[in-house]
Amino acid sequence: MSLHLAGVLADAAALWRRERGLLVPLAGMFFLVPMLGMVLLIGASGFPGDVTAEQLPEALRAFQSANLVPILGANLALDFGSFAVMTLFLQTGERTLGEVLIATLRRFLPFLAIDLMGSFLFGLGLSLFLLPGLLIFSRTWLAIPAYAAAPEAGPVAAIREGWRRSGGTVWIAILAGAGMVLFLSLLAMFFVAGITGGIGALLGGGQVAMALGYLAMAVVGAGSWTALTLLRVAFYRAGSPRQGI
């Protein structure tokens, strides 16, 4: 199977334009709020602190252990929001915000099972070598939208369908698309850091500049997560027989 990345990106942009009235509150509730919470948590903890590159993995483990509950809560919120966006675009009938959220909640546990399995396989692949990890990531990336589109088929069928739709050169396009979004998000983070740093210098530092910086970082993170979720939906749609691919 093959497809054109430009067409997938154009479809993702069209999805945003079509449903931004629902996407904005979804992203605000389930992407922006947990992102802001994590930014505030990291800022308050002083992570990573004055550590060397060799000490960073241990510092990360210590931070995660000390803040396990809020980190799990933020991840659950991000997962729920992602699945809600996929439900919005890949299920017929649910069009109000309440209907989308109820449909998402009914199917959330199988979604988590698929997500955990994909994360486990990705980690296993990375433990072997970088390329197997990236291959597993891209070949399982469409399993969740496959489940959102046909939850009645069950998680196993969704994993098979996601694997099928990422065959051929599609998995390479998935890596390219996701990598591009992450790269642009990283550039945006540096830009925001520079702008807020300049504001802080003009104001002589202080809590206002720090709060603006935290909020801006959370907005960039939420925007990046929204873009990745829409890209995921667009890749799934690109492999749909109804679109002739």
Side-chain angles (χ1 to χ4, degrees):
M1 184 183 293
S2 63
L3 51 81
H4 297 290
L5 179 57
V8 174
L9 294 174
D11 187 41
L15 293 174
W16 164 259
R17 291 191 298 269
R18 192 181 85 197
E19 295 287 357
R20 60 182 177 269
L22 286 177
L23 282 172
V24 169
L26 277 173
M29 283 189 294
F30 298 108
F31 299 161
L32 180 59
V33 171
M35 290 279 186
L36 182 57
M38 289 304 302
V39 170
L40 292 172
L41 179 64
I42 292 170
S45 68
F47 176 81
D50 187 17
V51 298
T52 65
E54 292 77 14
Q55 295 170 326
L56 185 58
E58 182 60 34
L60 179 59
R61 284 191 291 269
F63 173 78
Q64 290 172 333
S65 298
N67 301 282
L68 184 60
V69 172
I71 290 173
L72 285 178
N75 284 330
L76 282 174
L78 292 170
D79 284 341
F80 189 90
S82 298
F83 192 45
V85 171
M86 295 179 203
T87 298
L88 170 65
F89 287 111
L90 298 174
Q91 277 288 309
T92 58
E94 294 90 10
R95 274 297 173 266
T96 68
L97 183 58
E99 288 171 342
V100 170
L101 294 179
I102 290 172
T104 303
L105 186 60
R106 287 202 308 262
R107 305 159 184 155
F108 191 55
L109 287 180
F111 159 86
L112 284 178
I114 297 172
D115 192 41
L116 288 173
M117 182 177 294
S119 298
F120 171 76
L121 292 175
F122 175 54
L124 180 62
L126 284 182
S127 69
L128 299 174
F129 195 61
L130 179 62
L131 184 58
L134 294 177
L135 175 62
I136 291 172
F137 164 80
S138 56
R139 293 306 303 270
T140 59
W141 206 50
L142 300 183
I144 290 175
Y147 177 70
E152 67 281 354
V156 175
I159 293 171
R160 290 174 179 166
E161 181 65 10
W163 190 273
R164 184 187 71 81
R165 288 181 186 241
S166 59
T169 59
V170 175
W171 72 275
I172 300 175
I174 287 174
L175 286 180
M180 182 184 67
V181 171
L182 293 175
F183 176 71
L184 292 175
S185 300
L186 185 61
L187 288 181
M189 287 287 187
F190 283 120
F191 177 76
V192 164
I195 293 294
T196 54
I199 294 174
L202 289 174
L203 297 177
Q207 297 298 316
V208 174
M210 185 181 299
L212 287 175
Y214 286 159
L215 180 59
M217 289 292 183
V219 169
V220 172
S224 173
W225 201 274
T226 303
L228 283 173
T229 305
L230 289 175
L231 191 65
R232 212 167 182 177
V233 173
F235 267 111
Y236 179 82
R237 283 162 49 92
S240 174
R242 58 186 169 81
Q243 297 192 17
I245 296 178

